[in-house]
Amino acid sequence: MAAPLLVAFTAGPAGAWRIDRIAPVIGPTLADADRLDVAEGRRPDLAHAAWQLTGTTSHPRYAERAELAALRARQEGLARPGATCAALIPVRKTEAWWDLAQDERRAVIEERSRHIAIGLDYLPQVARRLHHSREIGGEPFDFLTWFEYAPADAAAFEDLVGRLRATEEWRYVDREVDIRLSRD
Ligand code: HEM
């Protein structure tokens, strides 16, 4: 497992990704902006930013050995040349979620919601990176989820988010914003 990587997502006038839309799913939305900058290992200056969200990569909490093996066998990395669509989906979970024990959270995520099994259906088309924000302090979301895919897989990605949002796990989500992006 690689060391944790700090990643800052800064919305504003500059950045490699064009922001196509920002849609609230539950709770307050985020301000509109033209571009998104994704910076690894540093927090860019906020002078012209509409907002900035920061998280770190981390070790897996819930995936079991066989699931990790299945993920590693199928997943592809970020920055594939054809993956010109992206989604940044920040998620916050309820106090009730954080009050659960580890085994109870695992039961919700996988035994009852099939999050990992559902996700595997969309690999390798969708590349992903999960960032944790909760422990940083002062961050408005618990997780910053990032996905990259080709335009031809955009419909499949909609299908994926629809399936996940219909699960028991998502009853514990009290803030979610869906940000879609593209690059040339
Ligand atoms: C966590 C896989 C799509 C949101 C996870 C974990 C795995 C996973 C393995 C658990 C990591 C751990 O053990 O700690 C996948 C796969 C996907 C996918 C293979 C398909 C591309 C999505 C989508 C969303 C999402 C589309 C948002 C709409 C999350 C969140 C967590 C998470 C918020 C953290 C849950 C928590 O720790 O409470 N995902 N996922 N995932 N995923 Fe996904």
Side-chain angles (χ1 to χ4, degrees):
M1 190 69 215
L5 175 69
L6 180 90
V7 182
F9 296 90
T10 309
W17 292 92
R18 189 166 48 237
I19 298 179
D20 296 324
R21 70 179 175 88
I22 298 184
V25 180
I26 179 168
T29 192
L30 288 163
D32 274 327
D34 289 335
R35 315 283 307 185
L36 185 79
D37 174 70
V38 184
E40 297 183 347
R42 65 194 173 87
R43 279 193 180 88
D45 181 64
L46 270 169
H48 302 285
W51 45 264
Q52 183 175 73
L53 299 171
T54 306
T56 65
T57 60
S58 190
H59 58 277
R61 268 73 166 167
Y62 305 106
E64 295 183 346
R65 173 58 50 202
E67 292 158 348
L68 288 176
L71 289 162
R72 283 174 188 155
R74 293 180 67 165
Q75 68 199 2
E76 288 191 3
L78 300 181
R80 291 168 297 175
T84 56
C85 297
L88 171 64
I89 307 182
V91 170
R92 190 181 70 187
K93 285 184 168 176
T94 60
E95 285 312 308
W97 173 261
W98 296 106
D99 284 343
L100 294 176
Q102 181 75 12
D103 58 335
E104 295 172 312
R105 289 196 295 265
R106 158 75 199 183
V108 173
I109 283 187
E110 195 54 26
E111 271 70 50
R112 302 212 288 280
S113 300
R114 313 303 295 166
H115 183 131
I116 300 168
I118 290 171
L120 277 165
D121 285 347
Y122 300 86
L123 267 47
Q125 286 81 3
V126 178
R128 49 181 269 280
R129 189 162 70 189
L130 175 63
H131 313 82
H132 292 253
S133 286
R134 186 174 173 82
E135 273 102 47
I136 290 181
E139 286 290 324
F141 295 92
D142 294 330
F143 307 99
L144 308 175
T145 67
W146 175 260
F147 306 92
E148 294 178 3
Y149 48 93
D153 297 312
F157 188 76
E158 295 311 321
D159 184 62
L160 164 65
V161 294
R163 286 174 72 187
L164 288 174
R165 287 180 184 139
T167 63
E168 181 182 338
E169 183 189 350
W170 250 256
R171 289 191 224 149
Y172 293 93
V173 173
D174 68 1
R175 189 173 179 199
E176 180 178 3
V177 181
D178 193 326
I179 301 155
R180 298 305 175 89
L181 313 109
S182 56
R183 61 177 172 82
D184 296 327

